[in-house]
Amino acid sequence: MRCTIVPPYLLSRLARLDEAGLGGVAAAAHQTLMQTEPLRETRQAVAPRAAPPSTASPRPERTISDAGGREVLPGSVVRREGGPESGDAAVDEAYDGLGATHALFADAFERSSIDGRGLGLDATVHYGSRYDNAFWDGERMVFGDGDGEVFRRFTLSLSVIGHELSHGVTQYSSALEYQGQSGALNESVSDVFGALVEQHSRGQAASEASWLIGEELFTDMVEGAALRSMKAPGTAYNDDILGVDPQPAHMRDFVDTRDDNGGVHINSGIPNRAFFLVADALGGYAWQRAGRIWYDTITAGGLEPRATFVQFARATVEAARARFGATSAELDAVQRAWASVGVEL
Amino acid sequence: MNITVVRSGGFAGIRRTWRVVVNDESSAAVDEWLHIVDACPWSDAVDLDGDGVPDRFVFVVTVEALPLESASTSQLHATLPESRVVGPWRQLIDRVQASDRADT
Ligand SMILES: [Zn+2]
């Protein structure tokens, strides 16, 4: 399931950084690399940096509950950490998806669970009847079974599980208000880390990934590949009943609407595409450089709750500069990406 | 009388509309719907928008061409987040969705 080889470009890049005298940056990048799954086995061979105090819990602490088709939370506990498979697909998918999400944040960003302090990960499945949704209620992830006509059960998609838990990470790091542009950024951050959870779990490089969100959710009756495409927003589906994917990929197509908390799931297409462009330009595993910049951006403490796209873009530029340097390929990729989607820095 | 439910937001961000046209000739049918419509606290929910909870739905409910003898206005309109869809709101929205599904 996991990647087992170190991408050669990263090793050579690290060597270049050392030659250029950017020892600190190289060490930080190296540290990031050491935290990722591929190098786990060789970790002992290199002197690791002392773990920050927040990384107390290397393992997730998962609890899955079953709402039994009612809209009442939390439901009854059906699987706890370390417990055997339940035999209920939704329960076991949620359990595994929480584990994969915890693994991305721990391995790539040295973050212990969603709050950085090892918070237990709670989820409820079988919420409601024919319930076409999944959401984060501030404390737990909640998954519906879908109506069976348009949507299948929401736990089928790892990018959805990663998306929901990432709302928790955002809540504990940069509480972007869930309305208008800051709401679309909140949504985009969840799509970004949801996609990265999936890529990290599958060992996929940026060029191998689908960059689709919710690829497994539509039934065969729907004309569509997924709910959203980060690579090509606006192309995920085109269906008689659902209509055409309304996401814009550029600021000139920004949608002004009162629906959906001011279009938070619509205009997220713009920052989603910016992230894809950074990851695509840099290549390799997206969580190691593009993901790191986005993670630094939301955890640096510089984002206002009502941040606009422009303010967020500037914060990613600062994060790229701080971690990778003023003349780095990373900084260049970030600046180009925002320009391509029409966000003026 | 027409009743329309528009649901936006949710993880998918897909806008969906359900609509029922109540046969005004049938006073039994009209009364049945009005019973639920009148139970909803319309003035409390004119413009609530979302509740800030990620990925939950937002509903807009509109009733048009209300029988005049039953109300002071011919149209009712409310925006409410999913967390407020309880009691009569829940009954009304469920019923519109079920009736529309049955029609198509
Ligand atoms: Zn979301």
Side-chain angles (χ1 to χ4, degrees), chain A residues 5 18 23 56 61 73 78 87 90-91 106 112 148 166-167 191 200 223 236 238 244 260 289 297 307 318 328 337:
Chain A
I5 51 160
D18 278 329
E61 193 60 48
L73 292 173
V78 284
V91 171
S112 175
S166 299
H167 276 308
D191 278 352
H200 179 260
E223 287 291 321
N238 183 351
V244 180
D260 183 29
R289 295 199 280 166
T297 300
E318 285 319 306
S328 62

Side-chain angles (χ1 to χ4, degrees), chain A residues 71 127 130-136 150-151 160 163-164 167 178 187 213 227-228 237 242 258-261 265, chain B residues 6-16 47 49-58 60 79 82 90 101:
Chain A
E71 292 193 10
Y127 179 81
R130 299 166 53 93
Y131 189 69
D132 268 348
N133 204 13
F135 62 91
W136 164 257
V150 174
F151 288 108
V160 172
H163 174 111
E164 292 310 331
H167 276 308
Y178 206 67
E187 267 306 304
I213 302 296
L227 295 178
R228 292 186 276 281
Y237 58 87
L242 301 181
R258 297 200 51 197
D259 282 353
D260 183 29
N261 297 290
H265 293 89
Chain B
V6 175
R7 189 188 77 187
S8 67
F11 182 92
I14 293 173
R15 189 178 200 269
R16 295 196 70 184
D47 220 0
D49 286 342
D51 53 6
V53 182
D55 298 323
R56 297 217 82 177
F57 295 120
V58 181
V60 177
T79 303
E82 189 180 357
R90 181 61 193 257
R101 263 199 293 272

Side-chain angles (χ1 to χ4, degrees), chain A residues 1-12:
Chain A
M1 179 170 96
R2 305 252 174 205
C3 37
T4 52
I5 51 160
V6 183
Y9 84 90
L10 259 177
L11 293 177
S12 57

Side-chain angles (χ1 to χ4, degrees), chain A residues 156-309:
Chain A
L156 274 169
S157 175
L158 183 52
S159 59
V160 172
I161 296 174
H163 174 111
E164 292 310 331
L165 262 188
S166 299
H167 276 308
V169 174
T170 299
Q171 177 182 312
Y172 283 103
S173 55
S174 287
L176 291 161
E177 203 171 294
Y178 206 67
Q179 180 72 38
Q181 287 201 12
S182 57
L185 288 166
N186 190 323
E187 267 306 304
S188 175
V189 165
S190 270
D191 278 352
V192 162
F193 291 104
L196 292 182
V197 167
E198 200 166 88
Q199 292 172 22
H200 179 260
S201 159
R202 294 173 181 173
Q204 284 177 330
S207 58
E208 298 164 327
S210 70
W211 295 100
L212 296 170
I213 302 296
E215 203 176 346
E216 298 81 359
L217 294 192
F218 283 141
T219 65
D220 294 342
M221 287 179 270
V222 176
E223 287 291 321
L227 295 178
R228 292 186 276 281
S229 167
M230 298 180 67
K231 184 177 183 174
T235 67
Y237 58 87
N238 183 351
D239 179 78
D240 288 346
I241 291 171
L242 301 181
V244 180
D245 173 4
Q247 282 212 311
H250 191 280
M251 275 311 273
R252 67 176 161 253
D253 301 315
F254 186 92
V255 178
D256 265 310
T257 175
R258 297 200 51 197
D259 282 353
D260 183 29
N261 297 290
V264 297
H265 293 89
I266 298 172
N267 292 313
S268 56
I270 296 166
N272 276 1
R273 167 119 175 115
F275 181 82
F276 163 77
L277 289 171
V278 175
D280 188 52
L282 296 175
Y285 296 125
W287 60 88
Q288 290 178 327
R289 295 199 280 166
R292 186 77 223 191
I293 294 165
W294 255 242
Y295 181 76
D296 287 351
T297 300
I298 62 164
T299 52
L303 280 178
E304 297 292 327
R306 292 196 168 194
T308 62
F309 285 7

